[in-house]
């Protein structure tokens, strides 16, 4: 299914309006200002017309997880809609660092020293400095990317020493389990290290993430419908 500008949720609201309203409500419950939360529309596998339809409604931040796919789609999209902000979500290969720095405004998957080094060199060459989130393997799952919780202090030190623009922490809790304890743990790790940014929460749990301190939520299917590809 390719969504269009009048895609609606189960309550009859346009999808983007519904997600924004839910974010605002969760923020108010937590005593937060909804404007502190950046909604990232995860547009991986989505065609340009679906992205442009959402952008036309005022959505400015989008996320992709494959550099090659983003390179194919986004130059034309930015020409059509200047001012869009693009996030790389998920794992990033070190050999794609130059391409990622050239294209993305934020990188949410910094998870190892070799990538820190590659990004620092790429930023120096390009003269661009995308925001960087350290990805934490918050559920200690061997199949997932992200640095181990115990390795966060040392990776933070490397990121800071390399001069990367450190925005905060990112994590994806284990599937099919209650996300709140993992969000709370990530928030505690961030506080312990003086970090304000928390990239956490997806379509099924973004309201919980907001109530537990998320500054960036990554929402795909709730905005676009079922994933394509």
């Amino acid at each position: 299914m390719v969504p269009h500008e009048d895609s609606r949720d189960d309550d009859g609201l346009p999808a983007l309006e519904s997600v924004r309203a839910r974010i605002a409500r969760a923020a108010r419950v937590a005593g937060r200002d909804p404007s502190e939360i950046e909604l990232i529309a995860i547009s991986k596998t989505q065609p340009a017309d679906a992205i442009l339809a959402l952008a036309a409604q005022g959505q400015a931040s989008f996320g992709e997880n494959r550099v090659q796919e983003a390179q194919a789609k986004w130059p034309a999209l930015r020409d059509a809609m200047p001012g869009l902000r693009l996030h790389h979500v998920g794992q990033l290969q070190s050999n794609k660092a130059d391409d990622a720095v050239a294209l993305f405004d934020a990188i949410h998957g910094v998870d190892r020293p070799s990538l820190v080094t590659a990004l620092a060199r790429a930023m120096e060459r390009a003269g661009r400095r995308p925001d960087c989130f350290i990805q934490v393997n918050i559920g200690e799952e061997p199949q997932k990317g992200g640095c181990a919780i115990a390795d966060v202090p040392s990776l933070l030190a490397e990121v800071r020493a390399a001069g990367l623009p450190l925005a905060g922490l990112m994590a994806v809790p284990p599937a099919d389990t209650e996300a709140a304890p993992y969000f709370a743990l990530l928030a505690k790790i961030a506080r312990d290290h003086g970090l304000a940014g928390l990239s956490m929460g997806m379509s099924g749990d973004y309201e919980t993430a907001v109530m537990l301190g998320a500054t960036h939520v990554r929402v795909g299917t709730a905005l676009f419908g079922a994933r394509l590809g």
Side-chain angles (χ1 to χ4, degrees), residues 139-174:
E140 300 181 329
E141 299 173 274
Q143 78 279 15
K144 275 190 181 171
C147 76
I149 293 171
D151 294 337
V152 169
S154 60
L155 189 58
L156 271 171
E158 297 215 27
V159 168
R160 286 169 168 150
L164 299 189
L166 180 59
L169 303 181
M170 175 270 206
V172 180

Side-chain angles (χ1 to χ4, degrees), residues 15-219:
L16 180 58
E17 182 182 337
S18 173
V19 170
R20 286 175 170 171
R22 290 170 183 266
I23 288 172
R25 183 166 59 244
R28 288 193 295 269
V29 168
R32 301 180 62 199
D33 181 348
S35 68
E36 297 173 353
I37 298 121
E38 183 172 351
L39 170 61
I40 303 167
I42 301 302
S43 53
K44 60 185 181 182
T45 77
Q46 296 294 338
D49 60 348
I51 295 168
L52 288 172
L54 210 59
Q57 297 174 63
Q59 176 61 27
S61 294
F62 292 84
E64 298 277 344
N65 71 332
R66 293 188 177 96
V67 172
Q68 189 170 354
E69 179 184 347
Q71 285 175 316
K73 292 194 308 194
W74 278 90
L77 285 166
R78 280 180 154 156
D79 286 344
M81 298 283 290
L84 297 182
R85 182 169 164 81
L86 186 59
H87 298 249
H88 185 276
V89 296
Q91 290 186 280
L92 178 64
Q93 296 176 344
S94 295
N95 64 5
K96 296 291 186 181
D98 284 290
D99 293 333
V101 165
L103 184 60
F104 293 94
D105 301 296
I107 295 169
H108 291 239
V110 180
D111 61 357
R112 59 197 185 279
S114 61
L115 183 56
V116 171
T117 300
L119 287 171
R121 290 173 178 166
M123 289 182 193
E124 184 176 356
R125 285 190 289 266
R128 292 191 84 242
R129 295 175 54 76
D131 292 335
C132 292
F133 291 81
I134 289 179
Q135 183 177 354
V136 182
N137 188 343
I138 201 70
E140 300 181 329
E141 299 173 274
Q143 78 279 15
K144 275 190 181 171
C147 76
I149 293 171
D151 294 337
V152 169
S154 60
L155 189 58
L156 271 171
E158 297 215 27
V159 168
R160 286 169 168 150
L164 299 189
L166 180 59
L169 303 181
M170 175 270 206
V172 180
D176 302 319
T177 189
E178 173 57 50
Y182 297 98
F183 293 154
L185 176 57
L186 191 72
K188 180 183 184 302
I189 296 169
R191 286 194 304 271
D192 289 347
H193 293 282
L195 299 171
L198 286 170
S199 172
M200 61 187 194
M202 299 186 293
S203 287
D205 53 27
Y206 64 88
E207 292 166 276
T208 300
V210 168
M211 286 190 281
L212 289 169
T215 58
H216 298 70
V217 293
R218 310 177 307 271
V219 179

